[in-house]
Every structure is written in structure tokens, then in C-alpha cells.
Amino acid sequence: MAELMKREEQQLENTWDLTTIFESDDAWEKALKDVEARIGEEEKFKSGIKTKEELVEALELEREIDVDFGKVYVYAHLKHDQDTSNDLYSGMESRARTLAVKISSAWSFFLPALMEIDADTLTEWADDESLKEFKLDIEKINKRRPHVLSDKEEKLLAEAGEVLSTPTSTYMMFNNADLTFDKAKDKEGKEYSVTQGTFVDLLKSNDRVLRKSAYESLYSSYQGFENTMSKTLEGVVNSHIFSSKVRGYKSSREQALANNHIPEAVYDQLVETVNNNLHLLHRYTELRKELLGLDELKMYDIYTPLVNEDFKMSYEEAQEWMLNALEPLGDEYVSIVKEGLDNRWVDVYENKGKRSGAYSSGTYGTNPYILMNWQDNVDNLFTLAHEFGHSVHSYYSRKNQPANISGYSIFVAEVASTFNEALLADYMYNKLDDKKKQLYLLNEQLEGFRGTVFRQTMFAEFEHKIHSLKESGEPLTAGKLNEVYGELNKKYYGDAVSYDEFISREWARIPHFYMNYYVYQYATGYSAAATLSKQVLEGGSQVAERYINEFLKKGSSNYPIEILKNAGVDMTTSEPIEKAMKFFEEKLDQFEKLIKE
């Protein structure tokens, strides 16, 4: 295997151009000091906001400092991630994080100060033209009013924050740093390291002996600590329940979803609709068992590809495939993607010290930036299209909304990225004349859907069940968690799978259960993207314009549910989930027909 190049050996055109943020590290240093020097300007408002004019001045000052700090932070974190071994940039990122804490602390008085203003007065002020850009922010503040405590109580809760986060930090440290696994062995006796990062790749192996060995290695370790891990999970559930009670919410789920203004019915409809369509997942597991030629399909057989195809793809070829696939979105959209490719938004290839994985980043007033670690395969093409979905979404939002509402809610964050993947898959399937490559694409879509809609909904159902159990006074012992998770796993994957005791402990390795009703958004986002992409492919340029104007350009200028509704997807109904299920069924039909020809 070739040795990784050093950062300085990268060709300039394959790296992101951060000089569009700051011309040099010295310019960044000056900007950081300039932002730091502005701490204290907020002091004039600490005695209270007494007039509409003072509110405008305070909000504009806070926004201005936030924009300037955003550039300081993004430059430092991108520089750090391009080479994490560079002490200079590690130090810069650390200093930027420290500055974030200082700014947050300096402005911590602001929300309680706004609560001192009568709700009707605040609403009346928000109707003034001078506060037009902040009207939704003010409306959200008023909606939080019943759940905001006194200054003394809020300070007490803030001080307790570190204590309440201890179960999560304990779990993360144990799971990522302390927990180790025995090596796995393949059918030839060759040993492989089992880590959180290698586990799923080992389960994708064609060597069933290796898959079984890796599976048993991982879960036997979790089994040995299940009582400890049940206590960390119970601890974080307790913290969610405590917070919801003291803030006057009916349940921990109500509080979690209220943060994004999502009706609880959205959560329930997702779980109910997916449950009503579990026969499709059962059909898929039956097909998997048949195609793998197994007498018993085990959970360690769920990830291995049904189509073995080494689908090579250079970065240059990938750009062409992506640009052609995105043409249904119109010339302007494609031109933005071209701008990103031509003007070094993308840091393409791996180098020593570079952060792993891929992401889209940036802030108000900068270009979007994409980190890749390019490998010449079709999976990386889909990753590139995914990240450009995020980047163009950010580009449009920042160009069309003021800074305070130019970001977008986590509830809609994965829609634009998954949308691009759907367009790409449709285009490639229709253009390829290689049956094996078509099957590979279909298999990837089926697996993506299984992992993102079915699996994440199962996680969401588990998460709500354990919160409800605890809210009713039942302790979350290891035995109870194993029972709940094991039953759900059997319900979702069906009779084609032969179960064992290990899979009932999978809850112990899922960090998302510490993130407070987060996982359901993967499934809702995927479903919304599937619906919107189908609308655009079938509806032409007018539908594409609606998607761009009513969704990509909107940032957080409205509630996420309303933004999606205006774009053509009503997530308060079960229709988008039903359509997503139909999409899965259609791909399953295509796959079955093609593989049996």
C-alpha cells in the first residue's frame, strides 16, 4: 500500500482555498483579537432592554459579532482538519473554541433580559419594520416563555449542566477509548483488529467465518459490561426527564421535539407507518437469505453486499456524472456546483493527519467547503453528491437570508444531501448498460433505505419506549433494555433471521441514544428527500424551482415543518413516509427482477 502524502505534497488545485476567508494566518490572528476585543460591548444592555430601539441595537450587535466569530472559527477548524498533526492549527482551533465560550458567557444574560419584557410588548415590537429580520426569533422566544425559569433557577440549571452530562461523557469515553475487542479471524486463521471503525466493514466481508468472528468479538465485550452501560443510559434518560419536569413539559419527548417546533404526531406517524410496512423489510431479508444461499440468516449476514462489483470511479469521472445527474435542478444550480469544483471548495484527497470521513462546512460570509478523503470508487461519488447537496443548500440560504436565520434546522439538514443522491442514482441507473453495476446501485439504495429509514425508526421506537418506561417508574436494567431491544429487532427484521442473544445488546453500542430524540430525523429527512426528488424528476423545471425557492433558499426563515410543506412535503401527515415505502418497494421489485433475469 502506497504511503500517504504529506499535506505540503498535495497539489494546490486539489485543496480548498481558505484565503477567501482570511488571506493568511496573520489575518486570522488579527480577526480573532478584534472579535475578542468586542466582548464588553454587550454590557450596556445588562441593565435591561427598555425600548424597541435598544432591542434592535442589541440584536444587531449580537448578530454582527456572531458573523465575525463564525469566520474565525471556521478558518481554524478547517485548517486543523486538513492536518490534525499540525500543532499551530490545533492551537488555533483550541483558541477559537475558548473564544466561543467567552462570547456565550458574555451574552448569557440576554434571554433572561428578554423575558423581562412583557410578551405582548415584545410581539408588538416585532411587527415593526426595524425588527422584520428578527420577527421569527422573537416569536420563538415568546413560545419558550412558559418553560423559562427564574434567573436564579436558570443559573442553577446551567451550573448543573456538567453534572447532568456526566452519563454521556462517561459512555463516550468508555465506548471510544477504554472498551477493547478481541481480534477476529477469517476462515484461513488470519487475524483482524475489531474497532468501532472497522466493525461494519468486517460485517461486509464475503468471508462468513470472519463476519461471525467479528460479531461475536464485539458483542461479547459489550455483554461483559452491560450492567455498567445500562446505568449510563439510564442516567442520560433520567437527565432528560429531569429537564422536562423542571421546565414544565408533559414528557421528555415533548421537550426534545419542541426545540425544533416539531409536533409529536410526526414522531408517532413515522413509527406507525414504518410498522405498517415492515412486510417490505421482511421480504428483503427473505431475499437476502435466498441470494446468500444460507440455511440460517444471522444478524452478521445483514450487511454483506448481495452484489460483488468493484465499481471504480476517478474524481474526474465523478464530477461529470454528478453534474449531469443534477441537471433537472436547472442551470443555476449546476453552475453553483461547477463554481465549487472550479474554485476549490473541495479538499479532495487524503494526506497524513487529515481528518477522516467527509463533511460540508462554512459559515455566513464564506464559501461552503467540502472535506473528502477521495478513493476511486462509486461510493465516494455518492458522498461527493451528498456533500454538495449540503453545500448548495448552505450557499442558497446564506445568499437569501440574513445571518441570524441563514442556517437550517437539523430536522431538514439531510434532505438536500439525500435528494442529490436520489437524483444521481436515478441518472446512473438509466445511463449504465452494465447489469452488474445497475444491481450494485440498486443494492446500495436498498441498503441505504434499510439503514436510514427502517433501522433509525427502530432506534426511535426503542428510544421512546425506554423514556416512557422510566417516566412510568420502571428501572432500566440491562435485562429490561435487552428485552425491549431484542423484541424490536425481531419485529423489524422478521422470521427470515435466526436470532441470538448478542443482537439484543446492540443498544449498548449506539451513541445516538445519548442524543435525546435525535435519530428519528434521519428517517423523516430521507423520506422527505425521496418524495421531493421524485416530484422534481416527474414534474420538471417548475417543481425544481419550487424546491429551490421554497426550500433551499429559506434557511430557517420559517418553522422546518412549514418550509417542507411549502416545498411540497407535509410531514404532519403519513403521506411522505408512505411514498418513501413505495420507493423502497419499487427498488426491491427492480432488484428482484434484474437479479433473476
Side-chain angles (χ1 to χ4, degrees):
M1 185 176 178
E3 187 175 347
L4 282 178
M5 72 178 85
K6 296 177 181 178
R7 181 67 189 180
E8 58 269 23
E9 295 172 338
Q10 289 269 24
Q11 293 184 10
L12 190 66
E13 63 268 24
N14 295 325
T15 63
W16 46 31
D17 181 10
L18 303 186
T19 63
T20 60
I21 308 176
F22 295 111
E23 291 183 0
S24 65
D25 295 345
D26 289 341
W28 174 88
E29 186 74 36
K30 181 180 183 304
L32 178 133
K33 290 176 179 176
D34 287 346
V35 173
E36 193 165 26
R38 301 198 68 176
I39 296 175
E41 290 183 30
E42 75 289 341
E43 289 285 342
K44 63 187 292 187
F45 304 108
K46 283 191 174 180
S47 59
I49 308 291
K50 300 177 181 63
T51 66
K52 176 181 62 183
E53 289 72 26
E54 284 183 350
L55 179 59
V56 173
E57 187 181 356
L59 287 169
E60 288 182 345
L61 174 63
E62 183 188 38
R63 181 171 66 182
E64 187 179 317
I65 291 172
D66 189 57
V67 168
D68 289 344
F69 170 73
K71 294 175 184 177
V72 168
Y73 177 76
V74 163
Y75 182 89
H77 108 76
L78 294 178
K79 281 286 192 178
H80 169 259
D81 286 358
Q82 72 186 30
D83 183 1
T84 59
S85 66
N86 187 309
D87 289 343
L88 172 64
Y89 296 131
S90 294
M92 286 169 59
E93 187 189 43
S94 178
R95 291 169 64 200
R97 288 184 184 277
T98 299
L99 180 55
V101 173
K102 290 180 180 178
I103 294 170
S104 178
S105 177
W107 282 87
S108 62
F109 75 94
F110 197 37
L111 181 59
L114 293 180
M115 290 298 161
E116 292 296 317
I117 305 170
D118 177 78
D120 291 338
T121 300
L122 205 54
T123 300
E124 181 184 336
W125 288 357
D127 287 330
D128 191 87
E129 184 66 23
S130 63
L131 282 164
K132 179 181 178 182
E133 293 180 348
F134 299 99
K135 183 171 183 177
L136 186 63
D137 292 333
I138 292 170
E139 185 178 312
K140 289 177 180 178
I141 287 168
N142 270 339
K143 284 189 174 185
R144 289 179 60 184
R145 199 175 282 269
H147 306 290
V148 176
L149 307 177
S150 69
D151 288 354
K152 186 177 180 180
E153 290 168 326
E154 286 290 348
K155 186 175 182 180
L156 184 63
L157 274 182
E159 293 293 331
E162 188 172 355
V163 176
L164 293 172
S165 67
T166 297
T168 298
S169 57
T170 300
Y171 169 80
M172 294 302 178
M173 181 62 71
F174 179 75
N175 200 45
N176 296 323
D178 293 342
L179 188 62
T180 59
F181 312 103
D182 292 337
K183 290 185 182 296
K185 292 183 179 180
D186 65 15
K187 60 187 177 184
E188 305 297 334
K190 182 180 177 182
E191 293 187 335
Y192 296 80
S193 293
V194 179
T195 67
Q196 304 288 1
T198 64
F199 178 62
V200 172
D201 285 338
L202 292 172
L203 292 192
K204 290 181 179 180
S205 170
N206 290 322
D207 184 338
R208 196 172 191 228
V209 172
L210 177 59
R211 299 202 300 267
K212 182 175 186 288
S213 179
Y215 177 84
E216 292 179 348
S217 165
L218 185 110
Y219 287 116
S220 61
S221 289
Y222 280 108
Q223 184 176 17
F225 294 98
E226 62 179 8
N227 293 311
T228 299
M229 303 193 89
S230 70
K231 283 302 175 186
T232 62
L233 185 53
E234 185 179 44
V236 81
V237 171
N238 285 339
S239 72
H240 299 160
I241 294 170
F242 170 76
S243 177
S244 66
K245 282 182 176 179
V246 298
R247 291 199 178 278
Y249 289 95
K250 294 192 294 290
S251 68
S252 49
R253 188 179 73 168
E254 183 190 32
Q255 181 183 17
L257 270 62
N259 289 332
N260 281 325
H261 307 276
I262 307 298
E264 288 187 270
V266 171
Y267 201 103
D268 291 330
Q269 282 174 171
L270 168 68
V271 172
E272 181 182 355
T273 306
V274 170
N275 271 262
N276 290 340
N277 287 275
L278 285 178
H279 63 279
L280 294 174
L281 181 55
H282 299 166
R283 181 178 149 199
Y284 181 50
T285 55
E286 289 279 4
L287 179 64
R288 173 170 285 277
K289 180 179 179 181
E290 176 189 344
L291 294 178
L292 292 176
L294 299 173
D295 293 330
E296 283 190 324
L297 181 71
K298 306 291 285 188
M299 285 305 297
Y300 52 76
D301 299 316
I302 294 296
Y303 287 87
T304 188
L306 298 176
V307 180
N308 293 315
E309 170 62 28
D310 188 17
F311 201 154
K312 292 293 185 184
M313 178 74 61
S314 71
Y315 182 62
E316 290 68 30
E317 291 171 319
Q319 294 178 59
E320 186 176 350
W321 276 109
M322 179 174 65
L323 290 169
N324 289 333
L326 297 177
E327 284 183 357
L329 289 171
D331 292 342
E332 182 183 69
Y333 188 101
V334 173
S335 71
I336 295 169
V337 177
K338 285 181 178 177
E339 180 184 343
L341 293 169
D342 295 341
N343 293 334
R344 296 174 53 203
W345 291 3
V346 187
D347 204 80
V348 184
Y349 295 106
E350 190 175 9
N351 57 249
K352 284 183 178 179
K354 187 175 179 181
R355 174 176 163 163
S356 62
Y359 63 66
S360 171
S361 186
T363 188
Y364 193 85
T366 77
N367 290 326
Y369 290 96
I370 294 172
L371 180 136
M372 293 287 297
N373 282 275
W374 185 267
Q375 304 295 319
D376 286 339
N377 58 55
V378 74
D379 288 350
N380 274 242
L381 162 59
F382 276 86
T383 300
L384 185 68
H386 180 103
E387 299 306 340
F388 259 107
H390 286 307
S391 288
V392 180
H393 189 185
S394 298
Y395 178 94
Y396 271 126
S397 293
R398 293 169 191 157
K399 290 286 186 183
N400 290 277
Q401 300 298 334
N404 56 298
I405 53 173
S406 65
Y408 38 82
S409 162
I410 189 66
F411 185 76
V412 302
E414 293 301 322
V415 174
S417 53
T418 310
F419 178 102
N420 277 13
E421 289 191 70
L423 289 193
L424 178 61
D426 182 82
Y427 176 78
M428 292 188 76
Y429 183 84
N430 291 321
K431 288 294 180 181
L432 289 168
D433 55 9
D434 185 321
K435 174 183 169 182
K436 203 168 184 180
K437 289 181 177 178
Q438 287 179 317
L439 282 168
Y440 178 90
L441 287 176
L442 287 171
N443 188 196
E444 288 294 298
Q445 285 183 284
L446 291 170
E447 275 300 289
F449 195 101
R450 178 193 67 78
T452 308
V453 180
F454 286 116
R455 180 171 164 81
Q456 299 298 330
T457 302
M458 184 182 80
F459 286 174
E461 192 169 353
F462 173 77
E463 188 173 16
H464 187 48
K465 279 181 182 291
I466 63 174
H467 279 79
S468 298
L469 283 170
K470 191 63 185 177
E471 284 168 336
S472 68
E474 185 163 350
L476 298 180
T477 63
K480 174 55 71 172
L481 293 170
N482 291 343
E483 176 190 332
V484 173
Y485 196 90
E487 288 175 356
L488 282 172
N489 202 81
K490 287 179 182 178
K491 180 176 75 170
Y492 272 74
Y493 285 93
D495 294 337
V497 178
S498 177
Y499 298 94
D500 55 61
E501 62 176 342
F502 286 124
I503 196 60
S504 66
R505 293 166 173 83
E506 188 179 34
W507 58 266
R509 82 172 187 91
I510 308 300
H512 292 80
F513 294 147
Y514 291 78
M515 297 170 68
N516 199 11
Y517 286 95
Y518 183 91
V519 292
Y520 82 99
Q521 296 168 120
Y522 288 116
T524 53
Y526 194 106
S527 300
T531 301
L532 286 168
S533 61
K534 190 173 181 63
Q535 287 177 359
V536 168
L537 287 170
E538 294 177 350
S541 59
Q542 284 188 327
V543 179
E545 287 175 14
R546 183 185 68 192
Y547 168 69
I548 292 170
N549 293 328
E550 299 298 332
F551 181 70
L552 296 184
K553 291 182 178 180
K554 289 300 182 181
S556 55
S557 59
N558 202 342
Y559 298 105
I561 283 286
E562 296 303 317
I563 288 175
L564 279 174
K565 192 181 292 184
N566 293 335
V569 181
D570 186 355
M571 296 304 296
T572 64
T573 73
S574 61
E575 184 181 6
I577 314 298
E578 293 283 7
K579 286 184 175 179
M581 291 296 156
K582 187 66 176 174
F583 168 84
F584 181 79
E585 187 174 23
E586 289 170 357
K587 296 305 172 186
L588 188 53
D589 288 342
Q590 282 181 280
F591 185 80
E592 283 184 328
K593 181 181 177 182
L594 194 59
I595 205 165
K596 293 179 178 179
E597 283 181 355

